[in-house]
Amino acid sequence: METLRFFALKESLNRKPVTILETQKRSELFGKHVFGKDAMRQVLSQDAFEAVEDAINTGAKIDRVMADSIAAGMKQWALELGATHYTHWFQPLTGATAEKHDAFFEQTSEGRAIEKFEGAKLVQQEPDASSFPHGGIRNTFEARGYTAWDPTSPAFILDTTLCIPTVFVSYTGEALDNKTPLLRALNSIDHHATEVAKYFNKSVTKVTATLGWEQEYFLIDSALAASRPDIMQTGRALLGHAPAKGQQLDDHYFGSIPVRALNFMKELEQQCMLLGIPVKTRHNEVAPNQFELAPIFEEANLAVDHNSLIMDLMDRVASRHNLKVLFHEKPFAGINGSGKHNNWSLATDTGVNLLSPGTTPMKNLQFLTFFINTIKAVQENEALLRASVASASNDHRLGANEAPPAIMSVFIGKQLTAVLDELEKVTDGKLSPQEKTDLKLNVVGKIPEILLDNTDRNRTSPFAFTGNKFEFRAVGSTTNCARPMVVLNTIVAKQLKDFKAEVDKLIDKESMKKDDAIFNVLREYIKSSKKIRFEGDGYSAEWEKEAKKRKLSNNRTTPEALKVQIGKQVSSLFEEMEVMNTVELKARYDIELEEYIKRIQIESRVLGAIAGNHIIPTAIRYQNLLIKNVNGLKNIYEADYQELAQEQLELIQKISKYISTINKEISFMIEARKEANALDTKERAEVYQTKVLPFFDSIRYASDKLELMVEDKLWPLAKNRELLNLN
């Protein structure tokens, strides 16, 4: 293995940046490989084009005849761009994407070859569902699952394959994917947000949830990655002493992008442009070899698809640049991990961002309505929001210095806090003309002015208002954005539904004017949601104590966090909003818990194998060299050798201690695994978390100490200082 490490180092040092030519403007490339409106107008009849538009805008069904027409046009467009195959592209509950390619190629009865693609193949397919996670939704022998075309997310060409975004459901209709619940949640937020928006503008007929994600990631040389079995199999370095120079000097953040990384980004962005992914921002992040890219805001369903697609693209492009992308939330100990901040807002079909203050008091009252309802939704469902970002890998990041804690809270800044404090004083019942005038002119009317200098930024807040959107910062870099977006849009939809019912009741039964009713309901929401608002240091012990007083959950681990998903309150919420039924919720709980177990189980096995097969033999080999040296000194200096060999003898003793520790801890860890594996899923997850995981730290500590002692040329694994040095 030591040969492999130095071979990898040599390969890495001899790398030449892959030259990427940028000969076309981004605007010229954008969407060329997407079956969007421009492409559809070129190959579809007017009736077919309008059928797709109706399906996108209203959810209208597309009949068989029209589907055949659309498929014919889509095939013509794809063939002209060099496509040879097509696939239904979907997002099963593995967290990744899935696809089964079929050729356009068919044979006629005369044996001739033709390109064929019919409406039936466009609208629905039946991939084998037997090996996808299902959480007990179906029996083992019932392998059928169906993919169905989602026209709201346009088809695209990746390499030579036409990819058709689809939902994935069981033959009994339950969602087996991430997209189906997302589409349901987006439909729910559209309906209920539109109903509330009509209080302020009756012309509003549709509200769209928007999403802008920020993808953080690490890049390391592919040869160095290949020399690390832990990185290749788990996505993170399970062992490895922190380098002397990490991120202490803050010299990487927003610094000059390394040439190899920059060329990778250039090619990636070219591919993104062709596929209609509107990436805009790229920069160095805080940790060495850590970077970020972010797109322009999009409709949430499309944004989720684009994030899933870009993670696949990043792997493909990185391999051409002899790089490996690490999405793990904490791939290296001692330096910042990676998140995927989800920036969320609501936009009307009249062109208004509902979370952005306007130019009139009425527009600002609209802003406050959606702003306060969102805070209230988070307050009512903070444990569920935490569960939406729970994973074995994100557990390593949440609560670290670069990420928010596991306690959910909302940060809004001192300016908006002052506004809410004023609104809290609103009179119960009908407002006097003077109070209403004062509120509209001096409180609500001045919101845009006070936000001009809203420079407060609290990086320890999991859910923060940042001017015209809420930023959900607890989302991990590996997370499919659909998970938190399903929860966030569902809880806000439910809250808006309740809000409208309360306002209408005051208008109908108390004969209040609309504004009076809205102010009255918002006042009560401000009072009841105070406990979720927090402006201070999320890492402080004082906040942890205060959060406990406020009865906020503090679920540090995935097994703790996921429990809320199977509670009656959550089941009632999702069923009321027609997003997921109890069977689908229970299935996701089982799948996510099982994944947690498997992740730790795999890491445990890999850690034991590396420590036992690589670290211990290397330490013994070096120890033997020291023993040989001591014996040589003894032969030469006889009785005086102990004084001369004192350091060597101490090293021999320390190495023995660490070898013994590793051996014992591996044995104990294996026994803990055996204990866990005999239990049911819920108890197994808890034992893996409480009894297996703790051995990771003790084994790592002993191994990292040996790394500092053993002669460098003997050490078998690429060291963190080498992995984090992208030449």
Side-chain angles (χ1 to χ4, degrees), residues 128-130 134 136-145 170-172:
D128 181 2
S130 59
H134 57 82
I137 285 178
R138 57 163 186 77
N139 293 316
T140 304
F141 59 86
E142 295 169 333
R144 280 185 296 166
S170 72
Y171 78 101
T172 52

Side-chain angles (χ1 to χ4, degrees), residues 90-233:
F90 58 103
Q91 299 170 46
L93 296 172
T94 57
T97 58
E99 52 199 63
K100 181 187 76 170
H101 296 196
D102 286 302
F104 288 118
F105 169 81
E106 295 280 353
Q107 276 189 306
T108 65
S109 57
E110 295 84 15
R112 292 189 298 109
I114 60 169
E115 274 77 29
K116 190 175 181 181
F117 182 58
E118 300 170 329
K121 298 289 178 66
L122 165 65
V123 173
Q124 181 176 302
Q125 285 197 349
E126 186 182 338
D128 181 2
S130 59
S131 294
F132 287 115
H134 57 82
I137 285 178
R138 57 163 186 77
N139 293 316
T140 304
F141 59 86
E142 295 169 333
R144 280 185 296 166
Y146 297 100
T147 51
W149 177 33
D150 170 20
T152 63
S153 184
F156 56 90
I157 294 175
L158 188 59
D159 294 330
T160 59
T161 302
L162 171 66
C163 299
I164 303 160
T166 60
V167 298
F168 180 44
V169 297
S170 72
Y171 78 101
T172 52
E174 285 91 3
L176 291 171
D177 65 346
N178 286 300
K179 179 185 273 277
T180 303
L182 177 65
L183 291 174
R184 295 170 183 166
L186 295 176
N187 183 60
S188 184
I189 191 76
D190 173 17
H191 174 70
H192 295 292
T194 298
E195 289 295 298
V196 173
K198 284 181 181 292
Y199 282 143
F200 308 97
N201 182 354
K202 294 191 181 298
S203 300
V204 174
T205 59
K206 185 176 180 60
V207 172
T208 301
T210 63
L211 169 64
W213 42 262
E214 303 168 23
Q215 181 70 59
E216 294 178 337
Y217 61 98
F218 281 80
L219 285 177
I220 59 174
D221 186 87
S222 58
L224 291 172
S227 75
R228 291 292 301 253
D230 49 352
I231 288 176
M232 297 303 292
Q233 293 184 71

